[in-house]
Amino acid sequence: MSKHHVTTTINGEAVEFLCETQETLLDVLRNTLNLTGSKEGCASGDCGACSVIADGTLVCSCLMLGVEAEGRSITTVEGIADGEKLHPIQQKFLEHAALQCGFCTPGFIVAAKALLDANPNPTEEEARYWLAGNLCRCTGYDKIIRAVMDAAAELRGEARAA
Amino acid sequence: MNYIVPQSELKIVGTSPVRPDGVDKVTGRATFGADMALAGMIWGKVKRSPHAHARIVSIDTSKAMALAGVKAVVTAADFPEIPNEEAFVGEGPMNFRDLSRNCMARDKALYEGHAVAAVAASTQAIAEQAVDLIEVTYEVLPHVIDVEAAMAPDAPVLHPDMFTAGIEPKPTRPSNIAKRVSFAKGDVDAGFAEAEVIVEGRYTTQPVHQAYIEPHACVAQVATDGQAQIYSSTQGQFMVRAYSAKILGWEIANLRSFPLEIGGGFGGKTVVYLEPLALKLAQKSGRPVKMMMTREDVFRASGPTSGAVIEVKIGAKRDGAIVAAREVLKYQAGAFAGSPIGPGCMCGLAMYDIPNVDVVGYDVVSNRPKVAAYRAPGAPITSFAVESAMDDLARKLAIDPLALREMNGVRDGSKTHYGVTHKDIGFLPVLEAARNHPHWKAPLKPGQGRGVACGFWFNIGGESSGAVHVNEDGSVSVVSGNPDIGGSRASMAMMAAEVLGIPVEQVRPIVGDTASIGFSFLTGGSRVTFATGMAVTQAAERVVEQLKTRAAQIWEIPAEAVEWKDGKAWPAGLNAGAFEPLSLAQIALKAGRTGGPISSEVSLNAQGAGAGFGCHICDVEVDAETGQVKILRYTAVQDVGKAIHRAYVEGQIQGGAAQGIGWALNEEYIYDTKGRMENAGFLDYRVPVASDLPLIEAVIVEVPNPRHPFGVRGVGEVPIVPPMAAVANAIRSATGLRMPDLPMSPPKICAALDAAAGAKAA
Amino acid sequence: MPKVVFSGSETRRFTGGRTELEVTATTFRQLVRELDARFPGLGEQVEEGMAVAIDGVIYQDAYGAPLAEGAEIVLIPKIGGG
């Protein structure tokens, strides 16, 4: 069986890869492109650890085929920071101690980025419902929600300053 | 030395610096189990039993081996038969024969998902195909799932050589009851005769999975000379080395075990599942082998903690003084003996000073995955029953439930039913903090209810190693032997920095592999900050002594004339001479000239862990139409001894409470009539999500443990103990319903509401 | 002399139901040997599966733990944890 040739954009860079028909985008990211920041927690779209942003939409990369990346723009956790400069969401996760084991963290950061891109001023309840697709077993979510709300505030402040 | 001093005298301990491994984790760079890759690596997969109980008649691997790309197949025949031999593991004595047979079924498959063979192939897809090509002939046997059904005399017997221990005379018929244990104090019948008010109830809990988000994963590599490396996500690299070596019949020195970042464990990663299989596959194939569980595998074949049936009876005088308590506990162990029945028998009633107590516990096997440790193993189950009964007792006596606990709660000198006299404990301060918290007095709206419940855990010490190295530039490396599961690297760095008097950023903590640091028992039991922290603190103190000696050499004065303060060596007084203080960096620069590298490693067996107590307050509202319970407010008070990293201590308390809320409301194993799990995924096994929970407020009480240099008790276990009863008691308060069966899921709440309405109408 | 308390069935099944015993041991190691001499099998049981509380402080696997004059020694199942 011959592999598919896929041309896509990942974290702003043009990328080409070969994949089997049944390979998920998560498999491609992790095993072919060595972008192991996206995690497999369930492979069924229930835990959100593999969250990526595809053309502005938050998706579980375990539910998307590698071939579906053709012509799209994908953002993974590796593409959230600006070089060495952490994104405010990442910075706030550190400051608020919003991670314990850190396994769900990439998914939360990507999902939070998608949230704040879509809704820069969410209520706590909106944040909790948006992030309900991301499971965290360590923290009880409290510090994650605080970090996201604080990052939202900071991002709005930057917007005002600009 | 002792650093149990007011917070104002501490510079680093008690604050919340950014964790040293944080940036890697928010950017996706951290290497977890499944992120590891080696050159030439192939993929391993496990073939699992579809039956709950079956004799393995034959296994034909020829078709699988013939498939192109398949490099190796293993079955039980590839592993040595291990005799009955007990060793102490995560939560109790563990039999290595059982452990070996749990990793790979021999003769019989004892639960759905039990491993019967494994393959390694060049791609994941080929490995999956090969698994399907392995032909196993089973003779399906009758199975038993529920604990009381498994105890019945006519139940299908899992192990024909299991005779109930702890019964005299020794039984002559095999049984699924592995062990009977009991504790007694005073005269319980006389106690109940004296009681003026008695409550009793029968409670059931479901097995719940630790549900770490990262499935088990490892990579193994074996050279032709027998030297092997295993990289895995585990709560103990030394445990992986010891257990794998045992199961494989290898020498420990030939196996080097590397702990990768661990994506949650909560006790569930205190045993091996994949590691011995991956090592054997790597040996047979001559290639590095990676193995990962799917989420389904995790549910069907690893963890969980016990489900149980608990009968409890408590008797009190009318003034509230408890005079007698009786408890019978039946804990599921899964397919092999070893439920946390011991702590179960001890923890529930450990919080109250009761003159007459009788507790009997049973450890029961059935056709379920073997239980693994889960936060405070055994304690949450018994406490759900006892704390629910305490709530009933408070109602019957018309006494405030906190007051009932204050009246009967243990204090220093209280003697427990298991014989130990409590010492240096902080239960009453915890109750006081709960009473003084605004939550306790906040008004409730109609339809809302408030519950309170308490929890106890011993906390443990054990064998730990910690090393402190002063680098050539004066920066410091701290190496410990315990995987960092919730921020312990930060705590280790903080304790070392406090002792050394330097900024925490100057200290870089790492977790060493089994060849880089002395033996360390598992990360678990709330022991790492206590025991490993003790080792690191002592190592740092020894480094300070060396630094003083080195400064003395530079100044040509006696070492006693040097003191260490604020990260610098100072002349101890005017007589010592007039010298400019020497910084760590200045001394490090001259280390070669003053005796060589400055470093110290301490290995110890920490004794005298300080018990922890918690008290949780929960407000709920129950939707009578849907049966959904909404948690409105949650406050968790806990004595942690001393919080080294405050934010991570809060995080442990919040996370434990959240897991307990899931245990209370949603989590359960659902089996079909054939003994197959029907909800082996996160969609149907529902752990709490962000929108299910309110802010969980953690209230830290600090009654120092005098046996730790900073007063640490440990934190991670206690917070999962109270939530089930706290939620149940809140539901009782909101609806009048006493819910004795977990989970208190919408169908059960609806049925209970309907039954209550029916009873009222009738 | 230190006093040993047998609170649970895991020790009492060796002691024939006896709940207390005064011992001459001054360390945990000596205690294990003394108990085994008195109640065959109990020493091994204690060594493999039990922790010891000495005046309320819990020790696990500590041969050297000192038993002071008049100390109260309680044997309980070993404690693990998640």
Side-chain angles (χ1 to χ4, degrees), chain B residues 204-228:
Chain B
T204 64
T205 71
Q206 290 293 313
V208 291
H209 200 276
Q210 298 82 349
Y212 29 82
I213 311 298
E214 179 203 30
H216 298 262
C218 66
V219 177
Q221 174 168 262
V222 184
T224 49
D225 64 357
Q227 294 195 58

Side-chain angles (χ1 to χ4, degrees), chain C residues 24-35:
Chain C
T24 57
T26 56
T27 66
F28 179 65
R29 176 68 184 130
Q30 287 174 9
L31 176 71
V32 169
R33 285 196 281 115
E34 189 173 341
L35 289 178

Side-chain angles (χ1 to χ4, degrees), chain C residues 1-43:
Chain C
M1 287 199 298
K3 182 182 74 180
V4 184
V5 177
F6 307 111
S7 61
S9 58
E10 292 192 64
T11 49
R12 283 187 193 172
R13 69 190 164 100
F14 291 93
T15 64
R18 185 164 179 160
T19 59
E20 283 186 11
L21 179 73
E22 290 207 327
V23 293
T24 57
T26 56
T27 66
F28 179 65
R29 176 68 184 130
Q30 287 174 9
L31 176 71
V32 169
R33 285 196 281 115
E34 189 173 341
L35 289 178
D36 207 57
R38 184 72 193 261
F39 306 111
L42 180 55

Side-chain angles (χ1 to χ4, degrees), chain B residues 676-719:
Chain B
R676 296 174 185 172
M677 186 181 177
E678 292 192 308
N679 61 330
F682 276 140
L683 188 62
D684 299 312
Y685 182 97
R686 200 173 176 292
V687 305
V689 301
S691 53
D692 291 335
L693 298 174
L695 184 164
I696 295 170
E697 187 180 345
V699 179
I700 296 172
V701 173
E702 294 181 317
V703 177
N705 172 13
R707 293 170 297 277
H708 183 274
F710 289 95
V712 164
R713 290 179 187 276
V715 59
E717 319 280 294
V718 172

Side-chain angles (χ1 to χ4, degrees), chain B residues 199-556:
Chain B
V199 293
E200 55 189 316
R202 182 180 189 278
Y203 296 84
T204 64
T205 71
Q206 290 293 313
V208 291
H209 200 276
Q210 298 82 349
Y212 29 82
I213 311 298
E214 179 203 30
H216 298 262
C218 66
V219 177
Q221 174 168 262
V222 184
T224 49
D225 64 357
Q227 294 195 58
Q229 292 86 42
I230 179 84
Y231 302 82
S232 62
S233 160
T234 176
Q235 288 178 243
Q237 64 274 46
F238 290 91
M239 176 279 295
V240 167
R241 184 180 69 165
Y243 294 2
S244 299
K246 191 84 192 174
I247 289 170
L248 292 158
W250 295 359
E251 211 173 280
I252 282 181
N254 275 342
L255 186 52
R256 188 169 173 188
S257 169
F258 295 80
L260 301 173
E261 293 296 336
I262 171 170
F266 317 112
K269 291 176 183 167
T270 57
V271 286
V272 291
Y273 298 102
L274 300 175
E275 289 89 342
L277 313 187
L279 283 160
K280 187 45 97 174
L281 287 167
Q283 186 187 37
K284 283 186 92 170
S285 66
R287 300 275 291 272
V289 173
K290 178 189 248 183
M291 296 186 85
M292 305 182 304
M293 281 197 191
T294 64
R295 178 55 52 186
E296 268 202 56
D297 292 343
V298 172
F299 276 115
R300 293 187 203 280
S302 76
T305 191
S306 307
V309 175
I310 313 105
E311 289 156 27
V312 61
K313 180 175 173 184
I314 303 177
K317 305 294 268 185
R318 215 167 287 289
D319 65 3
I322 300 175
V323 290
R326 187 192 299 277
E327 215 185 348
V328 178
L329 307 108
K330 301 161 186 169
Y331 277 27
Q332 297 163 358
F336 299 96
S339 70
I341 189 65
C345 288
M346 294 189 279
C347 289
L349 293 167
M351 293 183 283
Y352 305 109
D353 197 341
I354 308 173
N356 306 293
V357 179
D358 187 77
V359 179
V360 177
Y362 299 93
D363 180 31
V364 183
V365 298
S366 65
N367 296 110
R368 296 169 173 269
K370 166 77 175 76
V371 299
Y374 186 17
R375 281 185 132 138
I381 300 165
T382 177
S383 293
F384 168 59
V386 169
E387 292 298 289
S388 293
M390 285 293 288
D391 197 65
D392 285 346
L393 182 62
R395 283 174 194 283
K396 226 166 165 175
L397 291 165
I399 294 178
D400 164 291
L402 266 184
L404 181 66
R405 289 170 171 88
E406 284 160 347
M407 191 184 305
N408 295 285
V410 288
R411 54 212 77 196
D412 284 1
S414 299
K415 197 173 174 67
T416 61
H417 62 285
Y418 49 90
V420 175
T421 303
H422 282 296
K423 185 173 160 70
D424 308 312
I425 59 168
F427 189 31
L428 295 185
V430 163
L431 293 173
E432 187 186 347
R435 175 172 295 290
N436 292 335
H437 193 280
H439 186 171
W440 185 243
K441 299 193 185 69
L444 288 165
K445 291 184 187 143
Q448 299 179 345
R450 176 167 299 151
V452 64
C454 297
F456 162 84
W457 181 249
F458 297 93
N459 296 324
I460 60 170
E463 292 167 273
S464 277
S465 299
V468 175
H469 306 295
V470 177
N471 302 317
E472 304 90 293
D473 60 356
S475 64
V476 172
S477 302
V478 168
V479 189
S480 85
N482 282 103
D484 175 357
I485 203 162
S488 61
R489 264 169 296 198
S491 313
M492 296 306 128
M494 290 169 75
M495 286 184 266
E498 187 76 50
V499 173
L500 292 166
I502 58 176
V504 70
E505 295 75 20
Q506 204 174 324
V507 180
R508 181 58 46 178
I510 65 156
V511 181
D513 66 79
T514 52
S516 310
I517 183 77
F519 179 89
S520 301
F521 185 61
L522 297 162
T523 292
S526 290
R527 65 170 228 88
V528 172
T529 312
F530 172 73
T532 311
M534 199 184 273
V536 166
T537 301
Q538 289 183 14
E541 286 171 346
R542 291 184 191 182
V543 162
V544 166
E545 287 311 307
Q546 289 180 39
L547 289 164
K548 283 157 68 176
T549 308
R550 306 306 177 91
Q553 281 190 51
I554 294 168
W555 287 332
E556 298 178 275

